[in-house]
Amino acid sequence: MSHHSRRSFLTVAGASLLSTAGLGVSSEVGTAQSSGDEFTVVEESPTTKTLFSAVTSSEGPVAVGAGGDVVARGANGWSKIVEYGPQARSRPLRGAAVTDDGNGVWFVGGSGVIGEYRVDTDTLTNYSAPKGKTSTWEDVAVVGHAGTDERLYFVNGSGELLVGVRQESGAIRYEEVLKPGGGSTIPGIDFHGRKAGHVASTSQLVAATSDGGMEWNRIGIDFAGGAFYDLASVAADDVNVAGGDGIVYRYDGSRWTPHVIDGDRQAIRGIDRDGGDGLAVGTDGKIYERQSAGEWTRFQTATDAQFNGVASGPNFDVAVGNTGAIAERTVDGDDGDDGILPILGGSATDSLVTTTLDSTTTDSILDGDFEPEFPVAYDPDAVVEVVEGKWVLGES
C-alpha cells in the first residue's frame, strides 16, 4: 500500500502549492456524531464483487477486487474501468499501490497476476507472472513516477518478495526473490522512502528494510496473538499494523503498543496513514479515524458489509469492501473556504498565490498561461475581486 499526502497532487507550473484543505476531525473518541464528518454509502456501486484495496490516484480514488474488477471515482460518481483483470481471466485483485505522481495504479492478485493502469492515458498493461511466479500476490508497494523510475515491491502468499525497477527502456528489471516473512504469507507491505519500508506477515512478524529490500530486520511483534491484515509505514519510527481483536499496533522506533480501537473486538482489516492523519476499516461497516498516536474515532456507516481497504485523498476519503460496498466522504467540501481554487479559465500574469500550512506562508508568482482546468491552491484572503466570473488575486 502506498500513501500520499492530501496535498500531493496540488501542483502548478511544476511547483507544489500547499493547501490548507483538510479533514474535519471529531474531538471525541468513540462513535462520531458530526454530520460533516460522516461517510456516505454509495447506493449504486459499479460492482457486486468484493473490493479488497483502494488508493488515491491523480484522477481520484481507485479500488480493486474480485473478478479482476477495477473501479474508479470520477466527477460523475463511480464506474468500472477494468473488467476481468490485466490477463482477461477474472483473477481476483488483492492489493494496490499508486506512483508518487498519482498517474500509475499498480495492482496484484491471484495466480501471479500484476497489472498497471495509467489514469492519465487510460492504458492497462499486463505484467503478470514475472520470473515465472504464479503464487497469489497479496500486496504491492511502489515508489517513483509512472513510466520513468518506479521501484516496485511485490509480496505473495509464500512469503516471497520480488523487487522490480523501471529501466530507461521502459522495461521492468526484476531482482532475486527474497523471503522477509520467513515463508509466511505477507498481507501488507508499505514504503515511506524509495528504499525504506516495512512488511507484516501472518506469523506476527514485522520487518524493516532501509536498503530496498535486500536486508530485513525483524522489529516485532513478539507478544501479538492475533492475525495481521495490513500495515502503514510513515517513517522508521512511525508504523501501524492492523490486526485482529480490534487492535491497531503502534511502533515508535523502539517499542510496540497495542491500541484497541474497536470495542466489539472485531478485526481491523485495512489501514492508511497520511502524516499525522490516518484511517482504518473493519467489520460491519465500521471506519476509524486517527486523532492522535493512540486515539481513534469510530464511524458507523449505513452498511453491515465488511470493509477491507481504505484510502485518504485531497477530495475524497473512501472505504471499500465485500459485495462491492463503497463508503466515501468529501474532504474539501463546497463552502469555498477549503483552500482549493475552482476551475480557472484564461491566463494569469504576475498574480500572487499565497498558501499557508502550519503557520508557514509560501508566495509563488505565476507568469503567463497555465492549464485552464488545473486546480490551484490559494489563500481566500488573496481574492480581491471577481471580474466576469474570474478570480482576481493580489496582495491582501
Side-chain angles (χ1 to χ4, degrees):
M1 179 182 297
S2 293
H3 307 288
H4 294 277
S5 166
R6 299 179 188 284
R7 308 171 181 95
S8 293
F9 310 128
L10 297 177
T11 58
V12 64
S16 296
L17 299 177
L18 302 182
S19 162
T20 58
L23 170 65
V25 177
S26 172
S27 61
E28 297 182 4
V29 175
T31 302
Q33 300 297 325
S34 173
S35 60
D37 288 344
E38 291 179 357
F39 286 80
T40 300
V41 175
V42 175
E43 294 184 1
E44 296 185 6
S45 173
T47 182
T48 59
K49 299 170 185 174
T50 295
L51 295 171
F52 292 108
S53 185
V55 297
T56 297
S57 77
S58 58
E59 298 294 325
V62 177
V64 303
D69 283 354
V70 181
V71 300
R73 204 331 176 156
N76 297 317
W78 287 85
S79 62
K80 190 180 296 185
I81 58 175
V82 175
E83 195 166 19
Y84 311 118
Q87 291 180 310
R89 300 182 66 180
S90 299
R91 307 292 193 193
L93 303 174
R94 302 195 60 84
V98 64
T99 54
D100 292 343
D101 55 9
N103 290 333
V105 178
W106 286 81
F107 34 82
V108 298
S111 300
V113 66
I114 298 175
E116 179 201 23
Y117 188 86
R118 290 288 298 269
V119 297
D120 55 335
T121 61
D122 296 324
T123 303
L124 173 67
T125 304
N126 176 35
Y127 292 91
S128 299
K131 283 185 170 285
K133 293 294 179 180
T134 56
S135 295
T136 295
W137 299 109
E138 299 287 341
D139 201 10
V140 56
V142 57
V143 184
H145 297 81
T148 59
D149 63 352
E150 298 105 316
R151 187 174 178 89
L152 299 144
Y153 301 88
F154 307 102
V155 289
N156 65 20
S158 300
E160 295 177 323
L161 165 71
L162 178 63
V163 177
V165 182
R166 178 80 71 178
Q167 305 299 293
E168 289 186 5
S169 65
I172 304 293
R173 176 178 58 82
Y174 297 99
E175 300 179 356
E176 293 300 316
V177 175
L178 300 172
K179 283 195 173 184
S184 299
T185 297
I186 302 176
I189 184 168
D190 192 24
F191 273 64
H192 60 266
R194 184 167 180 83
K195 293 187 175 183
H198 298 84
V199 297
S201 81
T202 54
S203 59
Q204 292 77 51
L205 175 144
V206 180
T209 184
S210 59
D211 63 1
M214 297 302 101
E215 298 288 338
W216 292 86
N217 298 313
R218 178 168 183 156
I219 60 173
I221 305 174
D222 294 336
F223 62 85
F228 292 167
Y229 296 97
D230 196 11
L231 92 163
S233 172
V234 180
D237 59 355
D238 189 358
V239 184
N240 284 133
V241 173
D245 297 324
I247 296 175
V248 167
Y249 297 89
R250 175 176 58 88
Y251 184 64
D252 62 7
S254 60
R255 66 185 63 82
W256 287 95
T257 302
H259 299 283
V260 178
I261 69 171
D262 185 82
D264 300 324
R265 304 306 297 268
Q266 293 179 309
I268 309 304
R269 301 277 177 170
I271 191 165
D272 186 25
R273 287 284 307 279
D274 174 14
D277 296 329
L279 293 171
V281 291
T283 306
D284 293 337
K286 286 180 282 191
I287 302 173
Y288 315 84
E289 183 171 20
R290 186 179 189 267
Q291 306 296 305
S292 64
E295 296 180 312
W296 295 73
T297 293
R298 189 182 78 185
F299 294 86
Q300 180 62 60
T301 64
T303 178
D304 59 0
Q306 173 181 294
F307 287 131
N308 303 307
V310 62
S312 61
N315 298 313
F316 296 98
D317 294 328
V318 300
V320 299
N322 292 0
T323 65
I326 302 173
E328 63 180 22
R329 174 174 64 178
T330 301
V331 173
D332 59 4
D334 295 319
D335 57 9
D337 290 328
D338 53 19
I340 307 298
L341 191 64
I343 300 302
L344 292 176
S347 61
T349 302
D350 293 336
S351 297
L352 179 65
V353 177
T354 303
T355 61
T356 304
L357 178 64
D358 297 335
S359 301
T360 300
T361 299
T362 301
D363 293 338
S364 301
I365 300 296
L366 305 180
D367 294 316
D369 293 340
F370 59 88
E371 291 294 331
E373 294 186 353
F374 207 99
V376 180
Y378 81 111
D379 180 349
D381 292 335
V383 179
V384 295
E385 62 179 321
V386 178
V387 178
E388 297 180 351
K390 297 181 180 180
W391 297 77
V392 178
L393 308 181
E395 296 188 21
S396 58

